[in-house]
Amino acid sequence: MRTFSIVLALAAAATSVLAAPAPDSVALHRRAAGKLPFFFPESVYENVQSSGSSPFGKVTEDQAVKIATDFLATKLGLSAGEFEVANSFTDASGTTHVYGAQLANGLRIANHQAAAHVQNGQVIAFSSSFNTEQHVSKSAIPASSGKISVDQAIAKAVESTGIPHHKDFAAVSEYVNTGNGIVFAHKFQLRDSSKGQWVQVWVDANTGAIVHSADFVKKSSYKVIALPNLKPTQGFTTVSNPEDATASPNGWSTSGTTTKGNNADVAKRTASETAVTYGTGTGGAFTSSWSSSSAPSTSANIQASAVNLFYIANVLHDISYQYGFTEKAGNFQLSNNGKGGKANDAVTVSVQDPNGTDNADFSTPADGQAPLMRMFVFTSTTPNRDGGLENVIPLHEYTHGISNRLTGGSATAQCLETTEAGGMGEGWSDFVGLVLTAKSTDTATQARVVGDYVINSSAGIRSYPYSTSTSTNPLKYSSLASRNEVHDIGEVWVELLWEVYWNLVTKYGFSSNLYDAKSTAGNVVALQLVIGGMMNQPCNPTIISARNAILKADQTFYGGKYKCDIWKGFAKRGVGNSATTTKTDKTDLPSGC
Ligand SMILES: *[C@@H]1O[C@H](CO)[C@@H](O)[C@H](O)[C@H]1NC(C)=O
Ligand SMILES: *[C@@H]1O[C@H](CO)[C@@H](O)[C@H](O)[C@H]1NC(C)=O
Ligand SMILES: [Ca+2]
Ligand SMILES: [Ca+2]
Ligand SMILES: [Zn+2]
């Protein structure tokens, strides 16, 4: 196993101009989420003053429940049969918690909930969403009957939401406060596991309309440098529910409170690893407030970096999954949910890793052992800059994991070890970074620069910007005669792939939805060909055998449709039909192209 870094050393700043990318508001991915009606009367919450020492002392749980329900009956003006305890328990402090809902005609009013909390025989707090001064005093309760049957209500709701009925949950009759009075309703569930949708709805048994709903799917949001944006100067935006249900059925953050989940474990660690600080969220919402004028080490900036890195690692997990980097292919997950492959290898991401500067690296052991991605701080500016905030850098690092696992199979991690194969490893990493940060307004001859933010130089960290213009980027196959370092070799490989990419985008268009790997848009096809090539190529491939593996992927995925687009891209920069591993430029095409 070899550890790959993003740079060997900082390139001396050459001159080149980066055209400012046009703003591109097209999101990479959005889960379809229709808004269903939801009404819940505002709850009141009161701490009840203790009257000092309790006349009761310790009471049993049953006694505590009776004390709570008597209290609620008086407080909310309820008579016998108008309240039902749904659940109660006593915690370690001896406090008994009692929860329930208002009953009418023996049925629950779904959103008329109340609770009381009892300690030492006294109510210490209570809450309610009904019958207090703030709420409408007793609404009229309609009859518990309706014109619409349960089956009719289900049929209507399935039709209007497009989500199938979830038959495991039996329908229940309940009342619902709609905000305009109480209605008699049928309660049931709708679920589509493949789309990650699962909701409970209440349908008015007289009108057939959905009047209330509860969405069981965890909501999430991440304030990040949203792809395809590249760097913090383009701003942080809040991305909502970015998880792909197929690739990440368990979501991204396991708890909704830390940057730790099935695909990635993202934290700032001190050098001795005595302190581990995860990015934090509340109920799935991960906010951040990054400051360009403060050092990366402030807690706000560490949080911004951790949340951004968690986002990038998970996005690439989910996108690469669509193109075949799945559990069985050896991807990086804590649990594989029974889908094959070896688990326990979510990516460990070290935010602002203290053991290095001015670089980033990624170590990939074989399937079943967790890889390590170390993001360092770059030191040539004041304040220093965080590599985790230039999206191309973590995308580059994660792609090392993909190319290493796929080449020669996931059980072995020794297939990108020769200098030429290692060079292509660097190339695939930059290439995937470019593809995930490409915008619909980009052009073939535009200069695409890597690492310009971290070193604050428009030239970035490579010797030339990537571009199909041979004056902007003159690299060709024969350039390898004087290029022996893996990143230098990688630049040549990226140029070859970049020519193919643009042949495809020019002819077949661009899609901003990289999650649809079946799309015929040129950029999606290019990504599929490159990832498919990794699966086909031999252990320690050469540029020639890696090109041939891409041509093979074109046959297997597309029946050879893009053969000539691929050949023309490679031939333009010297890897034509008669090119050999001696690295002399040949620009000829095979017959038929
Ligand atoms: C930093 O390097 C030391 C010494 O090699 C190692 O023990 C420690 O785990 C490293 N710290 C981190 C955060 O990786
Ligand atoms: C980045 O470079 C520009 C232009 O050379 C300079 O004005 C600016 O101060 C630099 N920023 C930092 C943080 O070093
Ligand atoms: Ca795995
Ligand atoms: Ca491998
Ligand atoms: Zn690298």
Side-chain angles (χ1 to χ4, degrees):
M1 175 186 78
R2 170 168 175 171
T3 295
F4 289 97
S5 58
I6 187 151
V7 280
L8 179 67
L10 291 185
T15 52
S16 93
V17 182
L18 172 68
D24 196 330
S25 60
V26 187
L28 271 168
H29 182 56
R30 278 210 40 77
R31 171 186 283 174
K35 272 264 167 270
L36 293 173
F38 174 82
F39 177 73
F40 204 91
E42 194 182 340
S43 292
V44 297
Y45 176 79
E46 275 181 30
N47 280 323
V48 181
Q49 279 306 30
S50 164
S51 57
S53 67
S54 160
F56 300 100
K58 289 263 177 275
V59 295
T60 64
E61 183 163 314
D62 283 352
Q63 287 170 321
V65 170
K66 172 89 170 59
I67 290 164
T69 48
D70 287 351
F71 175 92
L72 289 170
T74 307
K75 192 87 187 171
L76 302 173
L78 303 170
S79 42
E82 287 189 323
F83 187 79
E84 182 183 57
V85 174
N87 76 299
S88 63
F89 69 96
T90 303
D91 70 22
S93 75
T95 304
T96 301
H97 306 275
V98 182
Y99 307 88
Q102 186 180 0
L103 285 190
N105 299 327
L107 301 178
R108 203 173 298 154
I109 303 178
N111 46 3
H112 279 190
Q113 301 278 337
H117 311 270
V118 177
Q119 193 181 37
N120 295 330
Q122 291 194 324
V123 172
I124 53 166
F126 101 100
S127 60
S128 175
S129 65
F130 67 98
N131 278 20
T132 69
E133 281 167 21
Q134 276 127 294
H135 300 114
V136 222
S137 57
K138 296 210 177 180
S139 312
I141 308 289
S144 55
S145 63
K147 297 196 271 286
I148 289 168
S149 72
V150 173
D151 287 346
Q152 288 169 324
I154 291 171
K156 271 176 105 76
V158 167
E159 197 198 335
S160 72
T161 61
I163 310 174
H165 178 221
H166 182 50
K167 298 190 178 67
D168 292 359
F169 179 83
V172 178
S173 295
E174 287 187 350
Y175 287 106
V176 176
N177 181 344
T178 66
N180 294 311
I182 310 277
V183 301
F184 174 63
H186 303 302
K187 172 175 95 173
F188 50 90
Q189 294 180 1
L190 305 172
R191 185 174 186 182
D192 187 336
S193 305
S194 72
K195 294 195 180 131
Q197 298 170 315
W198 190 2
V199 291
Q200 181 157 283
V201 293
W202 286 258
V203 171
D204 186 324
N206 284 292
T207 67
I210 297 175
V211 288
H212 185 49
S213 65
D215 193 343
F216 296 155
V217 181
K218 191 167 58 176
K219 293 276 181 281
S220 72
S221 62
Y222 298 88
K223 192 166 179 193
V224 294
I225 304 153
L227 291 168
N229 280 337
L230 289 155
K231 45 198 166 186
T233 46
Q234 291 169 304
F236 284 71
T237 50
T238 300
V239 178
S240 296
N241 304 317
E243 299 90 345
D244 180 85
T246 309
S248 295
N250 309 335
W252 286 357
S253 168
T254 305
S255 63
T257 59
T258 60
T259 48
K260 187 175 166 65
N262 202 48
N263 310 326
D265 183 329
V266 180
K268 164 97 183 96
R269 293 172 164 80
T270 50
S272 56
E273 303 202 45
T274 45
V276 179
T277 309
Y278 285 93
T280 58
T282 307
F286 290 80
T287 61
S288 62
S289 52
W290 180 75
S291 160
S292 62
S293 56
S294 330
S297 56
T298 64
S299 57
N301 283 354
I302 291 171
Q303 163 77 2
S305 186
V307 173
N308 195 60
L309 286 166
F310 189 69
Y311 161 78
I312 291 289
N314 277 287
V315 165
L316 192 43
H317 167 276
D318 286 4
I319 289 180
S320 59
Y321 195 97
Q322 319 300 323
Y323 295 79
F325 189 47
T326 59
E327 294 87 353
K328 274 186 155 176
N331 75 355
F332 306 118
Q333 294 184 186
L334 190 58
S335 159
N336 285 354
N337 299 306
K339 294 179 188 161
K342 295 209 163 115
N344 290 313
D345 59 358
V347 177
T348 301
V349 180
S350 181
V351 179
Q352 296 173 17
D353 186 280
N355 281 342
T357 60
D358 302 292
N359 215 330
D361 64 24
F362 197 99
S363 307
T364 323
D367 195 19
Q369 211 184 339
L372 173 64
M373 175 161 140
R374 299 193 304 167
M375 303 304 302
F376 302 134
V377 168
F378 284 72
T379 57
S380 57
T381 58
T382 307
N384 291 170
R385 289 187 169 177
D386 183 337
L389 297 178
E390 182 159 4
N391 284 341
V392 158
I393 297 181
L395 290 170
H396 172 110
E397 298 310 331
Y398 193 104
T399 304
H400 277 306
I402 301 173
S403 59
N404 264 288
R405 283 280 167 91
L406 289 179
T407 304
S410 61
T412 182
Q414 51 176 350
C415 294
L416 296 176
E417 297 289 305
T418 59
T419 306
E420 188 164 333
M424 284 190 286
E426 296 305 332
W428 284 304
S429 284
D430 274 8
F431 176 77
V432 170
L434 294 178
V435 171
L436 265 70
T437 54
K439 300 189 175 191
S440 58
T441 47
D442 287 353
T443 60
T445 54
Q446 180 181 329
R448 290 291 314 271
V449 179
V450 170
D452 55 319
Y453 167 73
V454 287
I455 62 166
N456 193 33
S457 155
S458 59
I461 55 178
R462 301 291 181 237
S463 47
Y464 301 100
Y466 296 118
S467 168
T468 63
S469 155
T470 50
S471 54
T472 303
N473 188 316
L475 293 174
K476 47 194 180 179
Y477 194 31
S478 59
S479 308
L480 292 174
S482 59
R483 291 185 159 240
N484 301 309
E485 191 276 323
V486 283
H487 300 89
D488 293 342
I489 295 167
E491 289 186 40
V492 175
W493 180 238
V494 178
E495 270 304 298
L496 296 165
L497 299 179
W498 205 230
E499 294 288 353
V500 173
Y501 173 92
W502 274 107
N503 286 348
L504 294 166
V505 172
T506 303
K507 222 157 136 181
Y508 305 103
F510 178 89
S511 168
S512 58
N513 179 11
L514 292 174
Y515 290 80
D516 178 13
K518 301 266 184 292
S519 162
T520 55
N523 57 326
V524 170
V525 170
L527 192 54
Q528 184 64 79
L529 290 172
V530 165
I531 292 179
M534 292 175 191
M535 301 172 187
N536 296 334
Q537 68 200 1
C539 211
N540 294 304
T542 61
I543 283 177
I544 299 288
S545 61
R547 178 204 62 195
N548 293 344
I550 288 172
L551 288 160
K552 179 57 71 182
D554 175 45
Q555 278 175 16
T556 59
F557 281 94
Y558 305 111
K561 178 174 179 188
Y562 305 108
K563 178 180 148 192
C564 295
D565 303 304
I566 298 166
W567 271 114
K568 284 173 190 163
F570 277 96
K572 177 176 166 186
R573 301 228 176 214
V575 191
N577 192 36
S578 57
T580 66
T581 53
T582 56
K583 303 178 178 62
T584 307
D585 292 327
K586 300 286 181 187
T587 57
D588 56 322
L589 297 170
S591 62
C593 285

